[in-house]
Amino acid sequence: MSIWARISEFLSTVPANALSNLIEAVRTVFEGDPELRRRVAFSIAMIALSAKMAKADGVVTQAEVRAFQQIFEVPREQARNVARLFDLAKQDVAGFELYAERMARLCGSGQPNCAMLEDILDGLFHIAKADGFVHEREVAFLQRVAEIFEIDEQHFERILSRHAILGEKDPWLVLGLERGAPFEEVRARYRRMVADNHPDRLIARGVPEEFLAIANSRLAAINGAYETIERSMQRT
């Protein structure tokens, strides 16, 4: 059974007013299967938080809906329940902090800076920038989610740069390096980041295959940053 069929089956049993309790319900329903529990929890968190992210600036645009659809390739037969959750969540931003807190507790081993939480935040960035303009309320939403996920300020700034939210991407910041670091350090850091962000790593920590567009986008930013630094060093 596909992850979407599992999610659709699960959502079909959840009352319409139970959005804030979904993560606890996931913990109970899938208690005997930790891997499936992480995959379902990740997917539901991405759907609900994406809807609230889109609503953060006061209006859900068609561009944001399309961005949501780019990440979530939902089979037609499961689309109704997924749309039900998205529509319920997008009514307002209220409750997102509690939702993010429960997701943080459930994530992986539960340790600070859990890699799956960065995967979720990356998906939210994709939604935020979809309409070509990131509203200050959307940035505040992202910052607050990052705080709840225990993603520190420096780490958050690297993610901001990776998505070019505040202008052109800073390749040094994307790789988390001091400007002018030796090329050997740049290359070692790049190789480590590529290995850490390989799609297989995301799958291993519970990210469903349907969400690997997140990994591909992140790898593209990392590759671009490395190539930019490499070219600049060759010119000097």
Side-chain angles (χ1 to χ4, degrees):
M1 183 181 293
S2 74
I3 187 64
W4 289 117
R6 292 279 192 174
I7 293 169
S8 184
E9 182 179 73
F10 170 71
L11 291 176
S12 67
T13 67
V14 176
N17 61 351
L19 178 62
S20 63
N21 295 318
L22 277 181
I23 293 299
E24 295 303 322
V26 168
R27 185 191 299 273
T28 301
V29 172
F30 300 102
E31 185 176 9
D33 191 337
E35 181 179 351
L36 180 59
R37 182 187 67 189
R38 286 194 296 270
R39 294 174 68 209
V40 171
F42 175 90
S43 304
I44 288 175
M46 278 302 311
I47 295 166
L49 288 175
S50 292
K52 291 185 179 297
M53 173 76 257
K55 187 65 174 179
D57 62 354
V59 60
V60 180
T61 68
Q62 285 302 307
E64 288 168 328
V65 173
R66 285 194 297 272
F68 171 85
Q69 292 169 341
Q70 287 170 6
I71 298 178
F72 304 87
E73 296 182 3
V74 184
R76 186 184 302 273
E77 59 271 22
Q78 276 90 45
R80 182 177 179 181
N81 275 309
V82 173
R84 171 173 166 259
L85 173 57
F86 185 85
D87 290 342
L88 180 64
K90 78 176 184 181
Q91 291 175 11
D92 55 45
V93 182
F96 84 92
E97 290 179 322
L98 176 62
Y99 206 84
E101 287 168 2
R102 289 180 174 175
M103 188 63 219
R105 289 200 302 269
L106 183 65
C107 169
S109 63
Q111 297 300 314
N113 282 323
C114 168
M116 188 193 289
L117 297 178
E118 183 176 353
D119 299 333
I120 293 171
L121 195 59
D122 257 335
L124 297 179
F125 271 99
H126 184 75
I127 301 295
K129 65 185 183 182
D131 56 4
F133 175 75
V134 181
H135 194 279
E136 62 182 12
R137 288 199 294 268
E138 291 176 316
V139 174
F141 180 101
L142 291 162
Q143 288 176 320
R144 181 60 188 135
V145 171
E147 289 173 3
I148 293 169
F149 285 176
E150 298 188 48
I151 291 174
D152 62 44
E153 185 176 351
Q154 187 176 26
H155 190 170
F156 183 74
E157 290 297 324
R158 289 204 304 271
I159 299 172
L160 272 175
S161 182
R162 187 162 69 221
H163 289 275
I165 294 292
L166 301 179
E168 292 299 317
K169 294 178 182 177
D170 180 341
W172 296 98
L173 188 55
V174 170
L175 296 184
L177 293 168
E178 291 290 333
R179 188 175 299 277
F183 184 68
E184 292 76 11
E185 184 179 346
V186 173
R187 183 166 51 196
R189 174 67 175 170
Y190 165 71
R191 288 175 174 173
R192 185 165 62 251
M193 290 184 72
V194 168
D196 289 344
N197 291 285
H198 190 279
D200 288 347
R201 289 286 184 94
L202 272 72
I203 292 172
R205 61 184 178 243
V207 177
E209 293 182 10
E210 291 83 354
F211 293 85
L212 292 186
I214 294 172
N216 293 333
S217 175
R218 186 184 300 168
L219 282 173
I222 293 168
N223 287 332
Y226 176 74
E227 290 167 3
T228 297
I229 293 173
E230 184 180 37
R231 285 196 302 269
S232 69
M233 287 187 163
Q234 287 174 346
R235 290 195 297 267
T236 59

